[in-house]
Amino acid sequence: MTTSEPATGPTGAASFSPVSRTALAVARVRARESERPDALFTDPYAAAFLTAAGYPAEPAVRPGPYATAIAHHTVIRTRFYDDFLLAASAAGCRQTVLLAAGLDTRAHRLAWPEGVRLFELDLPPVLAFKEDVLAGRAARPRCARTAVPADLLSSEWPGLLVEAGFDPAVRTAWLAEGLLVYLTEEQATGLLLALGGLSRPGDRLALERGRDLPPADAEPGLAHIAPLWLGGLGPGLGDWLGANGWDVATHPIEELSATYGRPGTGPARGGFHSATRR
């Protein structure tokens, strides 16, 4: 995620936590990408979130090389995860779970196969803000969508998900987008173990590949967000998944950028893991 500039506005964004505010920065990246003639995706609601929150359409500080590369990463990961989720649903995953869904609008903007049920988990203020904005735009989901207010750092979230209608016996695609970097190693391990406990063979998972973080003083534009980065499982994430019941594939961002015809530059590299439950 790119920044955590203050969120203000009448519809609840002012109550976002610092990490939750990064969802507005992601929305800004998606709004700008949606305006391009060669856009890799179109999010028709991203700009509405910014307007409702009184969030600036441009960053307050001119982006440096790290911030520019992170924005590029956000664009590539959005398209990669779009493709991953649609492929998983076409292959028989009838449930999709978005962990820390933020201002994600995939339920509304992707062409889901018939019968898919999508669950969005995030903190109550985030989901309430999103519901207000989407209702104001008369947005209609293109699949069965259920918002589940939950704290992913609490042991209660798996039970809340099941109570909302999630069925562990049904094949599922899981997405943890832009999440683990904001967790400690212990928190990330606990989350992934809980996720594994709800998974069955053939379930699929996508998330960012763990990597070493840039230094906190890499550039002034990142000074307000760098303290939020806790690293998750770091570069050992893929090995951890492999040792805990998942077959893992790695997708370097350089290769995906070339595939999508959108080469990136700058120091922030990395990529993504996709995994299948054994």
Side-chain angles (χ1 to χ4, degrees):
M1 299 184 181
T2 56
T3 183
S4 57
E5 294 173 34
T8 60
T11 55
S15 64
F16 283 13
S17 71
V19 172
S20 293
R21 282 199 292 270
T22 65
L24 287 162
V26 173
R28 178 164 63 195
V29 173
R30 290 177 176 166
R32 293 179 67 182
E33 176 67 17
S34 299
E35 295 173 351
R36 292 178 57 128
D38 60 345
L40 296 183
F41 57 84
T42 300
D43 186 341
Y45 308 105
F49 293 131
L50 304 181
T51 299
Y55 195 80
E58 297 294 335
V61 178
R62 181 181 178 86
Y66 272 105
T68 300
I70 292 171
H72 172 77
H73 182 276
T74 300
V75 170
I76 298 300
R77 84 176 185 197
T78 299
R79 172 59 185 271
F80 174 70
Y81 290 153
D82 285 357
D83 293 345
F84 166 84
L85 292 174
L86 290 179
S89 63
C93 291
R94 311 315 291 166
Q95 294 179 139
T96 294
V97 179
L98 308 181
L99 299 172
L103 302 178
D104 184 288
T105 62
R106 290 185 172 93
H108 299 79
R109 65 180 181 81
L110 295 185
W112 296 97
E114 184 177 355
V116 170
R117 186 167 188 184
L118 184 146
F119 298 86
E120 298 181 6
L121 282 77
D122 213 315
L123 296 172
V126 177
L127 294 179
F129 171 79
K130 179 156 66 172
E131 293 302 321
D132 284 346
V133 174
L134 292 176
R137 294 289 300 272
R140 294 180 177 272
R142 304 176 72 179
C143 61
R145 170 181 175 260
T146 301
V148 184
D151 183 351
L152 294 173
L153 298 183
S154 167
S155 61
E156 297 179 353
W157 75 262
L160 294 173
L161 179 60
V162 172
E163 289 176 8
F166 174 84
D167 185 351
V170 175
R171 187 164 294 172
T172 301
W174 299 86
L175 178 60
E177 181 174 16
L179 172 58
L180 294 192
V181 70
Y182 296 102
L183 305 182
T184 65
E185 181 177 355
E186 180 180 5
Q187 290 168 340
T189 298
L191 177 74
L192 292 173
L193 287 174
L195 185 159
L198 292 173
S199 300
R200 52 159 286 176
D203 280 9
R204 301 189 183 187
L205 168 66
L207 66 180
E208 280 88 86
R209 183 174 73 181
R211 60 186 177 88
D212 293 322
L213 297 174
D217 60 352
E219 60 189 51
L222 298 179
H224 51 291
I225 189 175
L228 303 176
W229 291 333
L230 302 178
L233 287 161
L237 174 59
D239 290 338
W240 187 95
L241 290 170
N244 285 273
W246 299 90
D247 293 325
V248 182
T250 301
H251 311 271
I253 194 168
E254 297 88 345
E255 295 180 6
L256 291 171
S257 298
T259 297
Y260 297 144
R262 188 70 64 79
T265 60
R269 296 300 180 185
F272 313 92
H273 290 311
S274 61
T276 303
R277 189 70 170 172
R278 289 196 293 271

